[in-house]
Amino acid sequence: MVRSFVALLAFSLLFWVIAFGLVVTPAYAFLLSDSSTGYVRKASQAAVSSMLTAQRSAQLASLGSSIVSSSAGSVGVRLVASSVGWPALGIVAGMALAMAYYDSTKVAAIKAAAAPPGAITVPGYNGNPITSYQSCPGGADCSGGIDQVIFTQGGGNCSGAYPWGTLPAGWSNQGAVAACTPPAAYTWKAVHNSANTATKGTIGASTPATSAQIQTYIGGLPSNDPLSLESNTIQVGSQVSPLPSDTTASNPVDATSLATEVVPASTVTGTDLVVNPNAVPPDGTTQTKTGTQPTTGTSTKTTTTTTNPDGSVTTTSTDTQTDTASVSCTSGNHDDRTFGSILSTHVNQWKNVGILGTLNNLKNIVWPSALPTYTFGPTLLGTFTLNFNTWAWVFSDVRAITIAIAAIYGVAIVFRGRASA
């Protein structure tokens, strides 16, 4: 019992350490050690910025149509690798390079801000169209306790008749707002200075923003605005999963639109976009090999004496030397796989095989939040109603037992294997 508890505790600690590393460190830091070649294909921050600038108009157009069609959910526009050029670089078409993501709160804020105001009506006024209307106090053009302000666009002689004709009751003319050079258009201002609220103006309900209006609104925001395209765009690449969204659009990007290069994996920085963690090393890459060759040997001297027919003696000497050597080499082509890559490979295989594949499918089960009620009848015996919510505790217990058994069985497989009885 104690051994099982210790094993489960060790597994939990390992899972926590890995999760902490993935959250605190850059998303690709753990996975780059998986490079089987030692090289990655990446795009620098400057190259990514250049791509985003070139794709800005297309992203704004996709955002406009996506936000209009989205009822209340999140919206994402992805820049994905097209089929042009990327497969030749070892990159699968369809991989997300970057994406603009707006959650449901930001989508609602954009819809409200981009929506045109409703029609402005002032009792007794029938002149030029009123371009804006502010309620006071609190408006930018409010002063002296004035209740409300209206603006109209005029033209022609600045000192001539008011562009709106006779002012309605309760309103007084303030003249041209800015310097006026006829016949250029200019803006007139009038203020409501009456205590009679019946002479105030009203603003009708705004109409929903169109795709073009949303596109114009987002495109006109400064880059540091919380709703701007720049503030809501993230890099994706091969090391990060794109954020799921309720409405998703994809814009293809060919390989010539994003400059990439193959570099050693150890040189990748936090601002780089990795598109292939297992890139082929560049041609001409030198791989260093070192070796040692200590030698030992023995030497043998053989002397041969020969007596000649005339009685003289001839001596011949022969040296024989034998060398032995032991060789060891260190190569840079050894298996660079790490524990992380091996574990990831095996997990992907295990979760689709046998009982583990069945357990893996449990995560896709959607448990209903409310149970159905069925009514039968009328019949000879009357009408019967079967309300499953009365037995909700039974379904909750079945769900808890199913999850618990699946978890225990999964832990048993990992730590005990298929042990025989």
Side-chain angles (χ1 to χ4, degrees), residues 71-96:
S71 57
S74 58
V75 170
V77 175
R78 302 177 183 179
L79 297 178
V80 301
S82 69
S83 58
V84 180
W86 291 108
L89 301 177
I91 298 169
V92 178
M95 182 186 70

Side-chain angles (χ1 to χ4, degrees), residues 204-220:
S206 62
T207 56
T210 64
S211 175
Q213 289 169 336
I214 292 176
Q215 179 180 345
T216 301
Y217 173 75
I218 299 177

Side-chain angles (χ1 to χ4, degrees), residues 339-362:
F339 171 77
S341 64
I342 296 174
L343 177 62
S344 177
T345 300
H346 284 283
V347 166
N348 290 332
Q349 293 177 348
W350 292 341
K351 69 182 182 181
N352 295 316
V353 177
I355 186 65
L356 285 181
T358 303
L359 294 176
N360 184 57
N361 289 332
L362 288 176

